[in-house]
Amino acid sequence: MIVFLLIPLLLPFAMPALARCALARLNPVTALWALTVCALVCAGACVAALGALLLTGLLKFPLFAAAGDLIHPLRTPSTLLVLPAAALSTGVLTLGAGTLVRSALSQITALRTARADADRCPAAGDLRVVDSPHPDAYALPGRPHRVVVTTAMLRSLGPGEREALFAHERAHNAGGHHYFLAAAELAAHCHPALRATRDTIRLAAERAADESAATAVGDRRLLARAIARAALAGKAAPSTRPAFAPAATTGPVPQRVAALLTPRDGRSNTTRWIIALFLTICTILPVGAATTGVVAFHHEVEVAQGEESR
């Protein structure tokens, strides 16, 4: 049982390298969906495994065993491994839950403040212009969607570059990228190795918006120039935008600009299938292992309850 429960805890360490490879080889939208689903599944399997380890350790003590209607404490062949693992699981789950709640409350407050500020600003369709000396622009989630831009950012760009930047932010709202960012943030609080995967998912969201905006604008060089100039303008400026509000100036901008300026070469189907296979393995294996471990734990509980002797 313990071996099966360790697999969902160890497998996420392979995710960061696989995520980078997937984003480099797959279509950005495909990579965004695949990586987000894989990260969420790995996070769920990790929490289930930690929960099973925690309960296994607790039920080895007579007090908790009696509270769980067990005839005798849970018996496992690896007592020396179970108790430290249960203690570690308790700490990890407590820390993860605490940081997740704190982050969620902070971001909800920031989102409400940003929407209230945007609604008080001059409007032009979905565009909201904030009078500020700090260059910034971002897609603000919610109903209806908003594109927020500061007056300083407008002064930093030419007319064509402004439209390209707006197209990028509208692509974020149209693609619902804030949902992917929120899912990646949730997964990152469940396993430390998924924090690097979260950063790749954020980059995938930016790359997906880049490609969508490039199609809408019809000029990849113009979009690349707009993103580069906007990033340079806002580099030293403080931003109050919520973490779940995607922006064209976030992420490794030089890498994104290079992708826009480099002709898109055909990616071999073999490479795509190999990456898809590894992503599938990283999705199915932790679920299967966690399920097997939880079923084994349930069987041990039934034995301790005396049901096997009835």
Side-chain angles (χ1 to χ4, degrees):
M1 176 184 71
I2 301 300
V3 174
F4 286 112
L5 293 178
L6 289 178
I7 292 177
L9 304 180
L10 297 177
L11 193 60
F13 287 102
M15 274 296 297
L18 179 59
R20 291 191 296 269
C21 184
L23 180 56
R25 300 295 179 182
L26 299 178
N27 176 278
V29 176
T30 303
L32 179 61
W33 275 98
L35 294 178
T36 303
V37 170
C38 190
L40 281 177
V41 170
C42 285
C46 176
V47 171
L50 289 172
L53 287 171
L54 170 60
L55 291 176
T56 300
L58 288 178
L59 293 178
K60 293 185 71 65
F61 294 97
L63 177 63
F64 293 101
D69 295 328
L70 273 62
I71 295 177
H72 56 76
L74 205 63
R75 296 167 183 168
T76 57
S78 51
T79 302
L80 294 179
L81 179 61
V82 168
L83 293 181
L88 183 60
S89 298
T90 303
V92 171
L93 287 173
T94 302
L95 180 62
T99 57
L100 176 61
V101 170
R102 186 164 57 250
S103 175
L105 293 176
S106 174
Q107 291 308 313
I108 290 174
T109 301
L111 181 60
R112 288 178 175 174
T113 301
R115 286 199 63 86
D117 293 342
D119 289 339
R120 289 194 295 265
C121 295
D126 64 342
L127 188 65
R128 294 294 184 272
V129 180
V130 178
D131 186 12
S132 171
H134 305 299
D136 198 10
Y138 55 91
L140 186 60
R143 297 294 178 185
H145 294 316
R146 306 288 192 214
V147 172
V148 179
V149 62
T150 64
T151 52
M153 180 63 79
L154 293 178
R155 290 192 295 268
S156 301
L157 304 177
E161 294 167 344
R162 295 173 189 169
E163 292 303 320
L165 185 66
F166 298 157
H168 175 98
E169 305 304 352
R170 290 184 175 117
H172 277 310
N173 283 332
H177 293 166
H178 50 283
Y179 294 118
F180 294 93
L181 300 185
E185 186 70 21
L186 172 63
H189 286 281
C190 297
H191 197 292
L194 295 177
R195 294 173 185 171
T197 305
R198 171 190 59 189
D199 296 337
T200 305
I201 291 174
R202 288 175 175 173
L203 177 56
E206 294 302 326
R207 287 285 299 115
D210 288 342
E211 293 299 327
S212 177
T215 301
V217 173
D219 189 339
R220 299 178 70 85
R221 288 187 174 276
L222 173 63
L223 177 62
R225 186 168 66 250
I227 291 173
R229 292 191 62 181
L232 287 174
K235 184 177 181 180
S239 176
T240 59
R241 63 174 175 263
F244 299 152
T249 56
T250 58
V253 173
Q255 180 180 339
R256 292 168 49 208
V257 170
L260 284 169
L261 296 179
T262 303
R264 288 173 291 180
D265 56 344
R267 299 174 177 85
S268 67
N269 288 329
T270 302
T271 303
R272 291 176 177 175
W273 279 111
I274 292 175
I275 293 175
L277 175 62
F278 278 107
L279 285 174
T280 303
I281 291 174
C282 285
T283 302
I284 295 178
L285 185 57
V287 173
T291 301
T292 303
V294 170
V295 169
F297 164 73
H298 184 262
H299 174 73
E300 294 294 336
V301 171
E302 288 183 338
V303 172
Q305 288 176 334
E307 293 187 9
E308 291 294 313
S309 62
R310 293 175 187 174

